[in-house]
Amino acid sequence: MSSTEPSESSVMINEDPEDEDEQELPELRIVLFGRTTVGKSTLGGIILGDSAAFTSSDPHGERTKTCHVERKTDSDSHSVVVVDTPGLFKMGSSEEDVVKEIKWATENVEPGPHVFLLVERLKIITSEELKALQVFERTFGKRAVAYATLVFTHKNDPRGNEADIKEDMKGNEHLRELIERCQWRYFIFNIADRSPVQVAELLEKITQERQDHSDFFYTPQMLQAAETAANEERSEDDRGRKASGNRLAVLEKSGLPRDTPSDLHAVLRRHINRESYNIQSLQDLSLGHLSGDV
C-alpha cells in the first residue's frame, strides 16, 4: 500500500531521456538501505520471488555483512536488479566500513540505481529511526532523497494500512518528519505475505515515479559530487575546531581564573578574532573589563 503527496521541498530531477526509453522499463535497479533487522533481505527476496536470494549461509545466523546483487528477468525480458546492503548501526560494525561497502555496490550497479528503498519497521518512529535517513543523506547527498522511497515493513500488522499511517502522523512528529523528508513517497509492505500482488504494486509505484520525472537514476557523478561536498564540510568543521582550540589555549595562557565571567570570555574571543594579540594585551584587556574601563 503506498502514498505519494506533493511536498514543498520536492527536488527537481535532471531529465536524461536518451539513456533509456521513457515508455519502457527493460531494467529496474533497486538498492535496499536501512538499519539492521528491519527486513531488508526478506523484502529483497520477496521482490525477486526467491525467499532464499539474500539468506545468509552463516550457521550462526549472522545477517548481511557485504552487499549482494541479484537479478530477475521475466518472460518479456524485463529485469529487476536488487542490491541488498549491510544494516546500519549493527553492534561490532563501524558505520564507515558499512557505508564504504554500500557506496561500492551503488557504483557497480551500472549506470546507477533508479531507486533507493529506505526500509524501516512499521512501529513507533523515534529520533533513532531518523538517524538512518541522516546517514543516507551524508553518504549520497541531499539530492539523493529524490531517488528514495520509504518502505515500512510489517508482519500481518492490522495497522499496516495508509489510513493508520496518516492517523499516526498526527501524534508522531518523527514519523511525519521522516515521511516529509522523503517527499511523501512511502509504501507499506507485509513481509509475511509472499504473494506477487503487493510486489507488483511496489514495482508499479517505482516505475510510475520514474516515468513521471522522465528517465532518471542516481549516477556515479552524483555520488562523487556528494563525497566532495561532504569532504569540504568536514574540512570546514576541522578548521573551526582548530581555531576554537587555539583561542581557548590563548585564553588559558592569559592566566584568567576558571570562574571568569562568560561575558569577558566573549570580549576576549572577539579581540582575538579581529586583531593581532599577545598575552599581555589580553591580560590588560581583562583587567580593564573587570574594572569597568572596557
Side-chain angles (χ1 to χ4, degrees):
M1 188 173 297
S2 65
S3 176
T4 304
E5 295 190 14
S7 167
E8 293 181 359
S9 60
S10 294
V11 180
M12 296 299 294
I13 306 294
N14 281 347
E15 299 182 357
D16 191 3
E18 296 182 359
D19 287 334
E20 298 182 40
D21 184 85
E22 184 175 5
Q23 303 302 320
E24 195 68 26
L25 187 59
E27 182 176 82
L28 179 62
R29 299 179 293 276
I30 300 171
V31 173
L32 305 174
F33 189 94
R35 301 180 306 132
T36 189
T37 72
V38 295
K40 295 192 313 300
S41 299
T42 302
L43 174 63
I46 295 174
I47 291 174
L48 293 170
D50 180 4
S51 60
F54 299 117
T55 300
S56 172
S57 58
D58 191 304
H60 301 292
E62 290 291 335
R63 289 176 170 81
T64 308
K65 293 182 179 179
T66 60
C67 290
H68 187 178
V69 182
E70 290 286 347
R71 177 190 301 269
K72 177 182 73 174
T73 304
D74 62 22
S75 57
D76 295 324
S77 298
H78 295 147
S79 296
V80 176
V81 178
V82 178
V83 182
D84 189 22
T85 62
L88 300 171
F89 315 135
K90 185 184 180 212
M91 292 287 291
S93 298
S94 73
E95 179 182 313
E96 183 180 356
D97 290 341
V98 171
V99 166
K100 183 178 180 180
E101 177 71 15
I102 295 173
K103 283 182 177 180
W104 177 87
T106 302
E107 290 176 313
N108 284 274
V109 184
E110 297 180 347
H114 294 103
V115 65
F116 295 91
L117 295 185
L118 308 186
V119 186
E120 186 53 71
R121 287 287 190 192
L122 182 67
K123 61 182 183 64
I124 296 177
I125 301 298
T126 69
S127 59
E128 289 298 308
E129 281 69 43
L130 288 170
K131 290 181 180 179
L133 179 58
Q134 293 167 357
V135 173
F136 177 80
E137 291 178 338
R138 285 201 305 267
T139 304
F140 298 106
K142 292 186 181 298
R143 182 181 181 185
V145 175
Y147 302 86
T149 294
L150 274 169
V151 177
F152 294 106
T153 61
H154 68 95
K155 293 182 178 180
N156 296 324
D157 190 327
R159 294 185 62 80
N161 59 78
E162 189 173 333
D164 282 325
I165 282 279
K166 290 187 175 180
E167 183 64 27
D168 290 343
M169 287 176 62
K170 296 177 182 178
N172 189 327
E173 61 178 335
H174 299 300
L175 173 61
R176 184 172 187 86
E177 180 182 351
L178 185 63
I179 290 177
E180 286 183 340
R181 286 172 63 178
C182 289
Q183 303 167 12
W184 291 88
R185 291 186 299 273
Y186 66 87
F187 193 95
I188 306 167
F189 200 103
N190 183 4
I191 57 176
D193 176 10
R194 298 180 181 273
S195 70
V197 176
Q198 62 177 345
V199 174
E201 292 177 352
L202 175 60
L203 298 185
E204 181 181 358
K205 174 182 174 63
I206 295 171
T207 302
Q208 186 60 54
E209 288 172 352
R210 176 178 178 274
Q211 291 179 344
D212 284 348
H213 294 90
S214 188
D215 296 311
F216 70 91
F217 49 84
Y218 185 85
T219 67
Q221 290 76 21
M222 294 176 188
L223 177 58
Q224 184 176 8
E227 290 175 337
T228 299
N231 289 335
E232 290 176 351
E233 184 176 347
R234 281 193 292 269
S235 297
E236 184 66 27
D237 289 343
D238 289 342
R239 287 193 293 270
R241 282 192 293 269
K242 183 177 180 180
S244 177
N246 290 340
R247 289 193 294 269
L248 290 175
V250 171
L251 288 174
E252 290 177 359
K253 290 180 180 179
S254 69
L256 291 174
R258 290 182 179 273
D259 58 352
T260 299
S262 58
D263 60 335
L264 174 54
H265 275 284
V267 170
L268 295 176
R269 288 192 181 95
R270 288 196 297 271
H271 182 73
I272 292 171
N273 283 336
R274 70 170 178 259
E275 59 184 84
S276 61
Y277 58 86
N278 54 48
I279 299 301
Q280 185 61 51
S281 70
L282 290 178
Q283 291 174 337
D284 292 344
L285 183 62
S286 302
L287 293 173
H289 183 85
L290 292 173
S291 64
D293 295 336
V294 176

